[in-house]
Amino acid sequence: MKRLRQVLAAAIAPLAIIASVSGAYSQDAPIEVTIGWAPPDVSGVFKTATDFFEKSAADAKGKGFDVKIITSTGQGHDIAQQVNAIDDLIQQQVDVIAVSPADVNSVKPALRRAKEAGIGVIVVNLLEPIEGLEVDSYIGYDNTVAAEVSASAVADYFGAPGVLGAGDKLDVKPETYLDRAFWKENFDKLTPEQKAAIKAKGVIIEGVSGNFYSNTRLTGFRNVSKDFPGIEIVGAPCAGDWKREKGTNCAEDFLQAHDDIDFIWAASNEMGLGAMLAAQNAGRLETASDGVKVGDGKVAIFTNDVTPESVDRIAEGKLIGETTHGFADWGWYGTKIAVEIACKQDVEKIFDIRPRTVEINNARLFYPDPKLEQIDWATMRANCKK
């Protein structure tokens, strides 16, 4: 009997060693995660977001994960193309799909199909919950608040207290978070008479007329500008469809029609850069070094989004103020949250990127090296249940 036990022990020992080695290997081996990223376009702001999805995936390499990003090649906010891209990602059996909807209602059926296939869903560029759709996480900002920040920068430039233009300059450091709360705190100190004394004429270039994003940004801008009765919006918004060429065309039409406007607010970065080019070509671009001169025919450009290109223009003084929507954050943290979903870990249901003003004094805090928190991939790997 003793001899039998010795024989069995000798036979089992190598198997135990193999199991031990195998267990150690599986624990240390990188976990593969495939993320499908379906933007409505791959240029401009979405190029920036895509770059940082890739940067975050590269950062995870060698730290317990092998993350692959499959980016669909959307063009021009084509809704049908984006739906087809989502269905294609479902067929490829990715672990998580991140999408910035060209149109919220149109992508809902495709995202439902993703959830039915067991694929995680992240909605980017939106915080407002989509009714009737199960979403693992929203990454974005409040579009209304973002436009309120833009209107606040306009009011500051033309005389309200702040960091821009003609008003009282506040003693703030470049890293001060110039969000809606910052502006509101200072504007609430103004009397109605002081607000009425701030005067300027401007025009608006909106996105796709009637689109959710366009409507909410128009609402936000008006929420603030109505408190400054001397800031007059001339005529109806021109639809630039989020495109630089159309933004240029809108601005050209405005400049030809009005020789006394003081500013253009474009609801997106591409349209804003187009407006800047139109004003520059017309010899009417007001730069940060010119100083505020209401009624002289020069036009200050304000916009929304913030990309490496627009930060360069802000640093040059060609764009006066732009509201950041955190596109680097979308990609950097989007990859992190997608990996957490794939690993069956708890994730933030709402990841709020608070919009804030970017101007000449703080521009270089954003690009080329945005300040982003390091991701603890090792802890995520240790707790991963994939």
Side-chain angles (χ1 to χ4, degrees):
M1 191 66 179
K2 180 178 179 182
R3 174 63 180 162
L4 178 60
R5 286 198 298 269
Q6 289 174 337
V7 171
L8 289 173
I12 291 171
L15 296 177
I17 293 170
I18 291 170
S20 174
V21 171
S22 174
Y25 174 78
S26 64
Q27 181 64 28
D28 295 334
I31 293 175
E32 295 182 359
V33 177
T34 303
I35 303 167
W37 163 229
D41 205 331
V42 290
S43 62
V45 299
F46 298 104
K47 170 68 164 60
T48 303
T50 301
D51 288 346
F52 279 86
F53 267 105
E54 295 284 359
K55 286 178 186 289
S56 191
D59 189 60
K61 197 168 188 64
K63 300 175 184 176
F65 293 99
D66 183 2
V67 181
K68 181 181 181 182
I69 309 293
I70 300 176
T71 301
S72 67
T73 54
Q75 294 292 337
H77 295 256
D78 186 312
I79 295 169
Q81 188 178 53
Q82 188 174 46
V83 171
N84 290 337
I86 295 169
D87 283 330
D88 185 55
L89 291 169
I90 294 170
Q91 291 299 315
Q92 294 183 65
Q93 299 180 319
V94 300
D95 295 296
V96 179
I97 291 174
V99 58
S100 175
D103 179 78
V104 171
N105 289 324
S106 298
V107 301
K108 279 168 64 171
L111 293 177
R112 285 197 194 101
R113 292 192 287 274
K115 291 300 294 182
E116 289 166 1
I119 296 170
V121 169
I122 298 173
V123 172
V124 177
N125 194 18
L126 194 67
L127 290 186
E128 298 84 350
I130 301 173
E131 185 177 354
L133 178 66
E134 182 186 352
V135 174
D136 294 281
S137 185
Y138 291 88
I139 303 175
Y141 56 95
D142 188 305
N143 281 269
T144 302
V145 172
E148 289 175 347
V149 171
S150 293
S152 299
V154 170
D156 171 19
Y157 185 71
F158 289 106
V163 298
L164 303 168
D168 292 338
K169 292 293 189 298
L170 301 176
D171 184 16
V172 299
K173 296 179 180 179
E175 61 269 22
T176 300
Y177 215 93
L178 305 177
D179 61 359
R180 180 65 186 121
F182 169 86
W183 296 115
K184 189 174 186 307
E185 179 184 356
N186 291 291
F187 293 174
D188 283 350
K189 299 172 184 176
L190 298 175
T191 66
E193 292 75 20
Q194 288 173 317
K195 289 182 178 180
I198 297 168
K199 298 184 182 298
K201 285 185 179 181
V203 292
I204 293 174
I205 303 175
E206 66 169 329
V208 176
S209 182
N211 174 276
F212 166 83
Y213 297 102
S214 193
N215 286 345
T216 50
R217 292 182 197 183
L218 286 173
T219 297
F221 194 88
R222 289 164 177 158
N223 285 347
V224 173
S225 61
K226 67 180 174 57
D227 289 338
F228 295 87
I231 296 179
E232 179 186 358
I233 303 300
V234 180
C238 178
D241 295 348
W242 313 118
K243 297 178 181 178
R244 188 175 305 200
E245 182 180 358
K246 289 192 175 183
T248 302
N249 294 339
C250 283
E252 287 173 346
D253 290 344
F254 279 136
L255 292 167
Q256 289 173 9
H258 305 285
D259 60 6
D260 61 345
I261 56 172
D262 303 299
F263 71 90
I264 296 173
W265 172 61
S268 82
N269 170 283
E270 284 292 302
M271 299 187 303
L273 289 166
M276 181 202 76
L277 290 172
Q280 186 170 272
N281 291 340
R284 292 178 61 183
L285 180 66
E286 183 163 293
T287 67
S289 61
D290 292 334
V292 183
K293 297 175 183 177
V294 175
D296 70 344
K298 291 292 185 73
V299 180
I301 308 297
F302 298 83
T303 186
N304 281 50
D305 283 338
V306 179
T307 61
E309 180 183 1
S310 64
V311 163
D312 286 344
R313 303 295 84 79
I314 294 167
E316 293 165 0
K318 293 180 179 180
L319 292 177
I320 300 299
E322 184 170 12
T323 302
T324 178
H325 296 169
F327 299 106
D329 305 57
W330 289 9
W332 186 257
Y333 299 112
T335 296
K336 169 185 178 289
I337 291 171
V339 171
E340 288 174 330
I341 292 168
C343 285
K344 298 178 175 57
Q345 297 175 7
D346 292 335
V347 298
E348 294 183 62
K349 189 72 175 177
I350 300 291
F351 190 93
D352 187 359
I353 300 165
R354 285 158 43 218
R356 57 203 187 275
T357 299
V358 180
E359 43 88 31
I360 194 167
N361 295 304
N362 67 6
R364 288 306 175 199
L365 295 178
F366 295 87
Y367 293 110
D369 298 310
K371 308 303 179 188
L372 299 166
E373 294 179 6
Q374 289 300 306
I375 298 169
D376 186 358
W377 297 110
T379 298
M380 288 171 60
R381 173 64 178 81
N383 296 322
C384 187
K385 301 179 180 67
K386 190 176 189 293

